[in-house]
Amino acid sequence: MTPAGDTGAPRPAGPGRPGAGTTSEKTPQTPGAPGSTEPPETPETPEGPSDPEAPGPASPAASGPSGSDAAPPGETGGPGTGEGRAGRFWSVRRVPAAVVALLLFAGTGILLYDAASVRAGRTGMAWRRTLTDELASRRLDDVFMLAGAAVLAALGLWLLVLALTPGKRSLLTMRPDVPGVRAGLERSAAALVLRDRAMEVSGVQAVRVTVSRRRVRARATAHFRDLARVRGDLDGALRSGIAELGLARRPGLAVRVRRPAKRRGGEDDAADC
């Protein structure tokens, strides 16, 4: 006996409902076929499975350091910290430029005023007439002519030196540890730091430190301990202090140790380096 509304005729199988004579078990489906929920298996090749996230062969543009692909400073392939050239600071030269500008302005103004006076029918200035007569009558080998030419040549040479040299000799350039930042240290400040470091050495009574662009000179007096040991400790302390200053060009070191004047004598009265 069939339920009401069922004629007993087989119904066509549709999506989501089993056909006539089928069971509730699912039939195995081929991976990758339409309607399958399982992902298709990836065929293996002799080189290994193809992974979409695996790194592929590097292109020549990405592997080279040129262009925008170059490694930044501090990373592998880039310049390390403290490397690179650090040039000296250039002086503005305000005082020489102001002096030359004022002299040229004053001389040009006086000459223009005298020329305008002569054109207006007045008599020229006496100094200009005298200078014109002297230049017209004196020979080129005259002493005054040679002296004036030497003064003008020295002035021009001085201006060329000021234009071609950086100046600021009292400022020491520090290492470019931070990109885009330039730092400098005054010589007096560096000498003060090294003097404080030298005074920490046992046996040093007084010390005088002078710092130049190429050398650091220390002259110390020791009132006890052997002079050779004091000089060795002072040399090590000053070399460590120079390294900690962070200068782009590390200067040399010259150390001289002596006894005080009232105790000087014997064979160990001085130790130089």
Side-chain angles (χ1 to χ4, degrees), residues 54-78:
S59 60
S63 60
S66 60
S68 60
D69 298 329
E75 296 186 4
T76 304

Side-chain angles (χ1 to χ4, degrees), residues 149-229:
V151 171
L152 294 178
L155 180 61
L157 182 62
W158 177 62
L159 294 177
L160 288 176
V161 170
L162 291 181
L164 298 177
T165 55
K168 290 187 177 294
R169 299 183 61 85
S170 63
L171 194 62
L172 302 175
T173 307
M174 302 182 69
R175 290 194 304 265
D177 292 337
V178 180
V181 177
R182 297 187 63 194
L185 182 64
E186 290 285 346
R187 290 187 188 178
S188 58
L192 182 61
V193 171
L194 296 178
R195 178 185 175 276
D196 293 341
R197 180 65 64 89
M199 290 300 297
E200 297 176 358
V201 176
S202 177
V204 175
Q205 182 182 17
V207 62
R208 180 183 178 184
V209 179
T210 57
V211 179
S212 62
R213 292 181 56 244
R214 294 180 175 85
R215 185 170 295 275
V216 175
R217 293 178 175 86
R219 297 175 178 87
T221 56
H223 55 293
F224 69 94
R225 293 184 66 196
D226 183 63
L227 290 182
R229 294 184 179 181

Side-chain angles (χ1 to χ4, degrees), residues 60-273:
S63 60
S66 60
S68 60
D69 298 329
E75 296 186 4
T76 304
T81 303
E83 296 180 0
R85 300 183 60 183
R88 292 175 56 187
F89 292 88
W90 280 77
S91 177
V92 183
R93 313 285 192 187
R94 290 189 178 93
V95 175
V99 171
V100 173
L102 288 176
L103 291 177
L104 291 178
F105 179 76
T108 304
I110 293 175
L111 288 177
L112 288 177
Y113 176 78
D114 188 66
S117 299
V118 172
R119 291 291 182 180
R122 298 180 181 180
T123 305
M125 295 182 179
W127 66 269
R128 191 175 68 87
R129 295 197 307 270
T130 303
L131 179 62
T132 304
D133 295 340
E134 291 292 335
L135 292 176
S137 59
R138 290 184 179 273
R139 299 173 58 87
L140 294 179
D141 56 352
D142 189 76
V143 177
F144 294 99
M145 298 291 290
L146 295 178
V151 171
L152 294 178
L155 180 61
L157 182 62
W158 177 62
L159 294 177
L160 288 176
V161 170
L162 291 181
L164 298 177
T165 55
K168 290 187 177 294
R169 299 183 61 85
S170 63
L171 194 62
L172 302 175
T173 307
M174 302 182 69
R175 290 194 304 265
D177 292 337
V178 180
V181 177
R182 297 187 63 194
L185 182 64
E186 290 285 346
R187 290 187 188 178
S188 58
L192 182 61
V193 171
L194 296 178
R195 178 185 175 276
D196 293 341
R197 180 65 64 89
M199 290 300 297
E200 297 176 358
V201 176
S202 177
V204 175
Q205 182 182 17
V207 62
R208 180 183 178 184
V209 179
T210 57
V211 179
S212 62
R213 292 181 56 244
R214 294 180 175 85
R215 185 170 295 275
V216 175
R217 293 178 175 86
R219 297 175 178 87
T221 56
H223 55 293
F224 69 94
R225 293 184 66 196
D226 183 63
L227 290 182
R229 294 184 179 181
V230 174
R231 193 206 59 79
D233 294 345
L234 185 60
D235 184 87
L238 290 179
R239 290 188 184 277
S240 177
I242 293 174
E244 293 177 359
L245 291 178
L247 300 178
R249 180 177 181 178
R250 186 175 301 182
L253 179 62
V255 179
R256 183 179 181 86
V257 182
R258 288 181 176 271
R259 293 292 186 193
K262 61 181 179 179
R263 296 184 180 180
R264 188 177 303 169
E267 57 183 2
D268 294 331
D269 61 342
D272 302 338
C273 177

Side-chain angles (χ1 to χ4, degrees), residues 39-65:
E41 297 181 357
T42 303
E44 296 186 359
T45 59
E47 292 79 3
S50 59
D51 188 358
E53 298 182 357
S59 60
S63 60

